Amino acid sequence: MSDEAPWLVVGLGNPGKEYAGNRHNVGFMVADLLASRTGGKFGRAKRAQTEVAEGRLGFGGPKLILLKPLTYMNLSGAPVVALAQFFKVPVAQVIAVHDELDVPFGQVRAKRGGGEGGHNGLRSMSKSLASKEYARVRFGIGRPPGRQEPADYVLSDFAAAERKELDFLIDRAADVTEAIVQEGVEWAQNRYHGV
């Protein structure tokens, strides 16, 4: 990993007010919090279909490029690779923040590489980056209740009971992201997976 290259943090979600509160948009929510923490302000990138913000972790700390693709989930990879190339970010310093059906609600998990678990945003990123070896912050949303289709579930808003914990969990996901940048995936796993 390069000390001089910035980190590219990709909050996965769908653009538009109708999707803003969806489970699938938790990546955007975490990116917004990280922007406020690092002093970044989102603006439209001229050459890529994305909103981008730049900031630093602490005084003189690592530079973060925060990205919210505006292409819809299944086409997220193109703006990610465009900005990774523009800012010369190696794949090892790319972090995807996303909703995760296979992690129970209330848990946030860090990992590097692996499969996409049917997540179209991750699938698009892996294809465009020609690698799966980027880090992931997996925000647990759990499985849909009853016979609800996963596609409908991820595009629905968080339930009232979940919303009571949502701000805390978004804060936790931002902490996990910062821990990956500052200490690495393994350290983040040891620190946050037991809580």
Side-chain angles (χ1 to χ4, degrees):
M1 284 185 234
S2 165
D3 286 338
E4 295 181 20
W7 285 76
L8 184 62
V9 178
V10 182
L12 290 174
N14 287 311
K17 288 185 177 139
E18 68 272 30
Y19 298 107
N22 289 179
R23 291 176 175 90
H24 223 21
N25 268 42
V26 76
F28 277 17
M29 298 172 199
V30 175
D32 286 338
L33 177 58
L34 284 165
S36 70
R37 285 185 180 186
T38 60
K41 288 204 182 330
F42 276 103
R44 185 77 188 256
K46 290 187 178 92
R47 291 190 188 90
Q49 288 182 284
T50 183
E51 287 189 357
V52 65
E54 297 179 44
R56 285 197 180 273
L57 285 184
F59 181 73
K63 183 175 183 180
L64 297 187
I65 310 298
L66 302 166
L67 169 64
K68 295 192 296 186
L70 300 177
T71 51
Y72 293 98
M73 192 66 83
N74 58 350
L75 299 173
S76 299
V80 171
V81 83
L83 286 190
Q85 290 172 347
F86 180 79
F87 287 104
K88 297 178 174 53
V89 179
V91 170
Q93 288 181 214
V94 174
I95 303 172
V97 183
H98 63 93
D99 59 304
E100 179 58 67
L101 287 162
D102 292 327
V103 174
F105 179 79
Q107 296 180 16
V108 178
R109 296 281 177 259
K111 75 180 246 187
R112 179 171 299 282
E116 291 92 11
H119 196 291
N120 290 332
L122 295 178
R123 188 178 294 132
S124 179
M125 278 184 62
S126 297
K127 184 176 178 187
S128 294
L129 291 167
S131 174
K132 297 182 179 188
E133 291 307 305
Y134 51 90
R136 296 105 187 269
V137 174
R138 305 163 73 213
F139 189 105
I141 61 168
R143 285 273 160 195
R147 296 182 179 200
Q148 186 178 13
E149 286 292 319
D152 294 332
Y153 179 69
V154 299
L155 292 175
S156 63
D157 287 355
F158 287 96
E162 293 171 329
R163 283 197 298 271
K164 291 177 183 169
E165 294 181 64
L166 193 56
D167 286 346
F168 169 79
L169 294 169
I170 289 168
D171 200 60
R172 164 73 53 81
D175 290 346
V176 171
T177 306
E178 290 182 2
I180 291 171
V181 170
Q182 293 175 312
E183 306 290 346
V185 171
E186 194 174 318
W187 189 94
Q189 289 170 334
N190 290 335
R191 170 67 179 83
Y192 290 103
H193 285 201
V195 291

